[in-house]
Amino acid sequence: MQRKKILLAGQQNAGKSTLFNQLTGARQFVANYPGVTVDKKTGYFSDQNGDWQLIDLPGTYSLTSFSLEERVARKALREEQADVILNVMDAANINRSLHLTLQLLELELPVALALNMMDVARSEGIEIQTGKLAEKLAIPVAECIGRTGQGIERLSDTLTQAQPGAFRTSYPELEQSISDISGSLNELDITDMPAIRWLALRLLEEDQEASNWLASQIEPDQWEKLKQKVATHQAAIKTRLDSGINDYIVAQRQKTVADILSHCVEVKREDLNKKNVTERVDRVVLNRFGAPLFLIATVFVIYQCAIVYGYELTNYWWPYLASFRELVAGVLPEAGFLHDPYVRSLGLWIIDSANTLLNYIPIFLILFALIAILEDSGYMARIAFISDRLLNKFGLHGQSTLPLILGGVFAGGCAVPGIMATKGIPDNRARLATILTVPYMNCLAKIPLYTLLLGIFFVDSMSLMTFYISTFSVIAALLVAKLLTRTVLQKTETAPFVMELPRYNLPTLRSVITRSLERTWMYVRKVGTIVLAVSTVIFVLLQFPGISEDKEHIAQQRAEQAVATFDKAIRGTHYAEKFDHTNLPALVNFYTDFKRAKLNARGAEASATINSQFKARNETFMAVVAPAKGDRDARKANRALRKLSSARNAIRRDINEQRLEASLLGSLGRALEPVSQYAGFDWKINVALFSSFAARESSVATLGVLFQQDEESNQKLEQRMGESNEFAGKGAVAAVALILFFILYPPCLASVMMIKVQTGQYRWMLLSILLPTLIGFTVASIAYSTGNRLNLTGTELMSLAWFSGLALLLLIGLKDWVRKKIQPSQNIPVTNL
């Protein structure tokens, strides 16, 4: 039997997603509609009436072509060729919800109506006579409570009864014009023509998308003739109306809705003046003084649970990823004594890159569950309402608050979940601006470099510098957002900000878990497809062209000397004949694998299991790696093996350092030194910044390699860099320049990939790299030259930079405040629609 297609249509907060999850369960997947980043959720279910495909359309209040969601929903309704449209309606807001229903009926498609949230409607004294409503609209109607699943089984019978409705909204002042234009449309030879009456109405109200589509379907002279006829009718109508055509259409729909309500809906009078739960809660959470406190508390809970506890959970999750890495490593070719086969090196590099991204999974599971709770409960809209006034001044949106917080408004966030959280921002311009500014926040991976520099130059003023760093990142993000919305994003699609404050609801466990898993899987699937290509490119840039023959020869001599020392040490033992140049690399690899496995083991039982596994793998090697008590030869060989492994690791580290310096990235670092010196960066800082693009933490790790530790000392990196003339000689001013650059530095690899995923376009990904680089280097260069010219201390220079940024922020805010006083905003806050 052929699967029937259902389109799930409804206004926001009507419970579409809840019904979708109830019907489809785990048989669902999420993609994007072609050419846009709006989610396309598709699911499948079967019942006594057959097999069904269910597509959840974006939530929309109408079918105009004003917003992206409206255009996507309307395009799907016209082109998906669905067997039935299931219109999900919030029964407690039936007055508002019926407007969309009337527009769906005008498309002359088979429509069935699901009255959702019937429990809420009844609790508020709203009694809907379902039979009369079905008779009035001439479509099947079913009651349900999506949150609990009540009435879901009756929806299938309703779907099979759906037929193109005969109900029409009357527009007395337009009917003659609609008839005349419809007659002209009927004469056109167009395939896949939508409902004639619907199209005639769209032409009369000057719907640009409908006009463009029709113009592309017919000859230019036909379109000009039709356009002239429409214009004539519009001019005649405007002479008869006191308002515009659009306003008249809306008014007639409201009149029709009022007539339907008078026949089908009854509200108990004793409930009219009763304050519902939503109003009582809003008196607290939207209180002038209580709203900021409640928002801060909510933010703290999200941050603490998702970021802090999520990172702690990665300690339990990481061993599984490490075990997977060991499994892959066992399949790849064996490591060499000094050099690994490129297949092994590349394979492990890719696995390590993927594991870095997959390590975020516990964070995302918690984060997306909390976001689902906020969305389902109704508080997410309140967050936007509270913070929109401030963020709107700089081109952002009230719903930009959560992404910025997750990105690290408080030090320790992460840009990747912050960027993913922008999905719900309805304004495309503000959404793009948020995506491009979230990476300026203080993610956890930036903290090691800040801590390193503060520990070298700002020990006595560490608290003040930490305050400057954390707040300057927010200032920078707001200023860059303003710059973007006034330049490259100026022509990007935007929409009036219609803010709905839905009623509070109790989220269901199934809905929360389903969306958490669904969104996390999207991250794993989409990011994973990009990791392979990007990781391979970075691997090549760090590996080639390799070290010179002379350095390679020196490394080989050191290796031979270390092996000779090992041979001499085990001479006279009964192991001397068992190890030679053919199996010595295997022995060292066995020792390294064993140490790594023991470090990952948890508990005595796991440790004993590892001993058994490695003994079964090679009993002779195991006797030396873990010598038994009383076996003096084995203990002597073990000491020699440890020294050999240590010498081997030292040689390999030196080779890697030399390869890094000679690599394409290292060469690029030296090539850029004549330019980067204006910001106080030498080639080592350049290489560290390049490496931090893959992961922010690697900046400190790279510096640890470049500023080598003497074998006879045990100095920390802060001490080594502090004593280095090539770094410390430039002073605290250079450190401030580096801090400012790092605040404005382009996103890390994972964030860049997520920007591509969320925007769907490479140009925004490239802009996220190029613009911060330009701004960061300009600011760092100005700071470095200013500090040196004025002979400022590092703290004085950072203070100057901070107050300059704050002054610019206040100036822009004051300018916009004056402008908006003169020209009122078009944003439309709507409470409890």
Side-chain angles (χ1 to χ4, degrees):
M1 182 183 296
Q2 186 176 3
R3 182 181 284 121
K4 297 180 180 179
K5 183 184 293 186
I6 309 168
L7 295 185
L8 202 60
Q11 297 182 343
Q12 296 178 16
N13 305 303
K16 286 193 306 91
S17 296
T18 303
L19 278 180
F20 181 86
N21 292 329
Q22 287 281 5
L23 288 168
T24 62
R27 299 180 61 192
Q28 57 179 263
F29 65 91
V30 181
N32 285 337
Y33 285 96
V36 296
T37 57
V38 175
D39 278 350
K40 179 180 183 180
K41 294 176 63 176
T42 304
Y44 303 91
F45 69 97
S46 301
D47 57 20
Q48 69 277 11
N49 293 310
D51 298 328
W52 304 87
Q53 178 189 20
L54 186 61
I55 299 176
D56 187 11
L57 300 181
T60 177
Y61 294 103
S62 68
L63 294 179
T64 64
S65 61
F66 197 82
S67 71
L68 177 60
E69 286 75 13
E70 289 170 345
R71 291 203 301 272
V72 169
R74 196 169 80 175
K75 183 178 176 66
L77 287 165
R78 287 184 45 229
E79 298 181 0
E80 286 284 355
Q81 297 181 343
D83 295 285
V84 59
I85 312 300
L86 180 57
N87 177 205
V88 181
M89 178 186 294
D90 179 358
N93 279 324
I94 189 171
N95 188 349
R96 171 170 57 86
S97 302
L98 275 171
H99 281 267
L100 179 62
T101 305
L102 297 181
Q103 293 177 66
L104 290 171
L105 292 173
E106 287 177 348
L107 286 168
E108 298 178 15
L109 298 171
V111 176
L113 183 61
L115 285 175
N116 194 24
M117 304 186 192
M118 286 298 296
D119 55 336
V120 179
R122 293 190 181 104
S123 69
E124 296 182 2
I126 301 174
E127 293 294 337
I128 303 175
Q129 300 181 40
T130 306
K132 286 186 177 181
L133 182 62
E135 183 180 350
K136 189 74 174 177
L137 295 175
I139 58 175
V141 180
E143 299 180 0
C144 64
I145 304 174
R147 185 172 57 86
T148 62
Q150 183 177 337
I152 297 296
E153 67 281 354
R154 291 194 296 271
L155 284 179
S156 178
D157 294 332
T158 305
L159 294 172
T160 58
Q161 298 168 14
Q163 297 292 333
F167 183 87
R168 285 188 176 185
T169 303
S170 177
Y171 305 100
E173 296 294 338
L174 307 181
E175 291 299 339
Q176 184 177 353
S177 299
I178 293 173
S179 177
D180 190 17
I181 296 173
S182 298
S184 298
L185 291 173
N186 274 317
E187 296 174 1
L188 300 175
D189 183 18
I190 299 178
T191 57
D192 298 327
M193 174 77 84
I196 298 297
R197 179 180 173 83
W198 175 86
L199 184 56
L201 271 170
R202 299 293 76 76
L203 293 176
L204 282 173
E205 64 179 359
E206 300 183 75
D207 186 299
Q208 192 60 48
E209 187 181 51
S211 298
N212 292 340
W213 175 85
L214 187 57
S216 66
Q217 300 296 311
I218 58 179
E219 297 296 329
D221 58 335
Q222 290 179 306
W223 169 241
E224 287 298 325
K225 183 179 179 180
L226 179 61
K227 188 166 64 171
Q228 184 61 43
K229 174 178 286 191
V230 172
T232 302
H233 280 287
Q234 287 172 333
I237 293 170
K238 289 176 182 178
T239 61
R240 302 193 302 268
L241 297 178
D242 295 331
S243 59
I245 295 177
N246 290 25
D247 294 336
Y248 175 76
I249 291 175
V250 172
Q252 288 301 117
R253 286 182 185 145
Q254 181 57 45
K255 184 178 179 180
T256 304
V257 168
D259 179 65
I260 294 172
L261 295 178
S262 66
H263 287 85
C264 308
V265 179
E266 179 183 355
V267 181
K268 295 180 181 178
R269 293 191 175 275
E270 60 268 23
D271 294 319
L272 289 177
N273 298 320
K274 186 189 299 183
K275 287 188 177 295
N276 58 33
V277 174
T278 294
E279 291 173 329
R280 293 197 296 270
V281 174
D282 277 346
R283 290 180 64 181
V284 177
V285 301
L286 295 183
N287 180 274
R288 185 174 185 178
F289 302 102
L293 297 177
F294 196 83
L295 175 59
I296 291 172
T298 304
V299 167
F300 175 79
V301 171
I302 294 174
Y303 177 81
Q304 188 72 17
C305 293
I307 304 299
V308 178
Y309 295 153
Y311 270 112
E312 291 181 4
L313 287 178
T314 60
N315 295 328
Y316 301 95
W317 169 241
W318 180 255
Y320 294 99
L321 298 178
S323 299
F324 176 70
R325 183 190 189 277
E326 293 302 313
L327 181 64
V328 175
V331 176
L332 295 172
E334 284 286 330
F337 191 77
L338 292 184
H339 303 288
D340 296 342
Y342 280 117
V343 173
R344 179 182 180 84
S345 298
L346 177 59
L348 292 181
W349 174 271
I350 293 173
I351 293 298
D352 289 339
S353 300
N355 279 355
T356 300
L357 301 172
L358 295 176
N359 194 44
Y360 290 123
I361 285 179
I363 298 174
F364 289 146
L365 287 172
I366 298 174
L367 169 65
F368 292 138
L370 292 174
I371 291 177
I373 291 173
L374 290 179
E375 291 172 341
D376 288 355
S377 67
Y379 186 67
M380 182 68 81
R382 271 83 179 171
I383 293 178
F385 178 81
I386 295 168
S387 57
D388 180 70
R389 179 172 295 182
L390 172 64
L391 295 179
N392 185 258
K393 295 180 184 296
F394 299 95
L396 298 176
H397 188 281
Q399 292 184 12
S400 302
T401 308
L402 183 61
L404 293 174
I405 291 170
L406 295 172
V409 168
F410 310 113
C414 178
V416 175
I419 293 169
M420 291 192 71
T422 62
K423 194 76 174 179
I425 300 177
D427 186 287
N428 197 38
R429 179 191 297 172
R431 178 174 175 270
L432 287 172
T434 306
I435 288 173
L436 295 172
T437 52
V438 163
Y440 291 101
M441 299 296 100
N442 287 312
C443 72
L444 183 68
K446 290 183 179 181
I447 305 304
L449 181 64
Y450 295 150
T451 304
L452 173 67
L453 297 176
L454 296 183
I456 298 173
F457 296 104
F458 304 99
V459 177
D460 297 331
S461 56
M462 189 171 291
S463 298
L464 178 62
M465 289 294 293
T466 302
F467 170 77
Y468 281 152
I469 291 172
S470 59
T471 51
F472 187 85
S473 63
V474 178
I475 294 172
L478 293 176
L479 292 175
V480 172
K482 190 68 174 180
L483 174 66
L484 290 169
T485 53
R486 287 293 182 89
T487 54
V488 293
L489 296 178
Q490 188 173 18
K491 296 182 179 180
T492 303
E493 181 181 40
T494 186
F497 183 24
V498 180
M499 181 178 296
E500 179 189 3
L501 300 185
R503 76 177 57 83
Y504 290 104
N505 294 296
L506 185 64
T508 62
L509 181 62
R510 177 176 179 177
S511 175
V512 170
I513 292 176
T514 299
R515 271 189 285 173
S516 178
L517 293 173
E518 171 190 294
R519 293 172 178 177
T520 303
W521 173 242
M522 283 181 61
Y523 166 78
V524 173
R525 181 165 53 88
K526 290 186 176 181
V527 173
T529 58
I530 309 173
V531 170
L532 178 62
V534 177
S535 298
T536 303
V537 171
I538 293 179
F539 175 82
V540 172
L541 294 176
L542 288 174
Q543 294 294 321
F544 290 97
I547 63 175
S548 65
E549 292 184 2
D550 292 340
K551 292 179 180 179
E552 177 68 30
H553 180 67
I554 294 173
Q556 289 291 344
Q557 287 182 327
R558 291 175 61 190
E560 291 172 2
Q561 183 178 356
V563 171
T565 302
F566 173 81
D567 290 339
K568 183 177 179 180
I570 65 172
R571 191 176 301 159
T573 69
H574 65 270
Y575 290 101
E577 302 299 327
K578 295 183 179 180
F579 302 129
D580 54 29
H581 292 184
T582 59
N583 63 359
L584 196 55
L587 173 63
V588 177
N589 288 336
F590 186 92
Y591 173 71
T592 303
D593 294 344
F594 179 77
K595 283 181 60 180
R596 190 164 54 244
K598 294 288 278 188
L599 286 173
N600 292 329
R602 293 183 177 273
E605 185 178 349
S607 180
T609 301
I610 290 173
N611 288 340
S612 301
Q613 291 174 345
F614 274 81
K615 186 174 182 179
R617 176 174 160 183
N618 192 312
E619 190 171 353
T620 302
F621 286 177
M622 189 61 181
V624 174
V625 169
K629 292 182 179 180
D631 191 342
R632 293 185 177 180
D633 285 355
R635 297 177 69 85
K636 188 175 182 179
N638 177 264
R639 288 193 296 270
L641 176 60
R642 282 184 288 167
K643 291 181 180 179
L644 176 62
S645 177
S646 178
R648 178 213 188 196
N649 291 337
I651 299 170
R652 287 169 68 98
R653 279 197 303 270
D654 290 343
I655 291 175
N656 288 335
E657 179 184 351
Q658 293 166 4
R659 181 184 293 113
L660 175 64
E661 185 174 347
S663 69
L664 296 175
L665 277 181
S667 301
L668 183 59
R670 285 199 175 277
L672 290 177
E673 199 171 30
V675 177
S676 66
Q677 65 179 343
Y678 292 106
F681 306 160
D682 60 15
W683 77 272
K684 289 186 176 181
I685 298 298
N686 292 343
V687 172
L689 291 173
F690 283 138
S691 67
S692 70
F693 175 71
R696 288 286 182 262
E697 301 93 331
S698 62
S699 59
V700 174
T702 303
L703 290 173
V705 173
L706 296 176
F707 290 90
Q708 285 291 301
Q709 178 174 318
D710 295 334
E711 292 184 5
E712 298 180 358
S713 67
N714 192 28
Q715 291 180 320
K716 295 193 300 183
L717 179 58
E718 288 91 337
Q719 295 172 302
R720 303 201 303 269
M721 291 181 65
E723 295 175 1
S724 171
N725 290 330
E726 57 185 329
F727 180 76
K730 295 183 179 181
V733 169
V736 170
L738 179 56
I739 288 173
L740 292 173
F741 182 80
F742 211 62
I743 291 174
L744 302 169
Y745 191 57
C748 65
L749 175 61
S751 300
V752 166
M753 290 190 291
M754 188 48 58
I755 289 173
K756 167 60 177 66
V757 169
Q758 290 297 318
T759 63
Q761 295 181 333
Y762 284 101
R763 60 172 178 158
W764 299 121
M765 184 185 77
L766 293 175
L767 181 64
S768 73
I769 298 173
L770 298 177
L771 181 63
T773 302
L774 177 62
I775 295 176
F777 184 74
T778 301
V779 171
S781 299
I782 293 174
Y784 184 68
S785 60
T786 301
N788 286 328
R789 184 178 296 273
L790 300 180
N791 198 26
L792 300 175
T793 65
T795 305
E796 291 171 343
L797 178 59
M798 192 67 187
S799 300
L800 177 62
W802 188 86
F803 280 107
S804 299
L806 181 62
L808 183 57
L809 194 73
L810 294 175
L811 180 63
I812 293 174
L814 181 62
K815 180 181 178 182
D816 283 355
W817 181 79
V818 173
R819 178 176 57 82
K820 289 186 178 181
K821 282 292 183 181
I822 300 173
Q823 181 180 357
S825 173
Q826 294 182 351
N827 287 353
I828 309 168
V830 180
T831 306
N832 293 332
L833 287 174

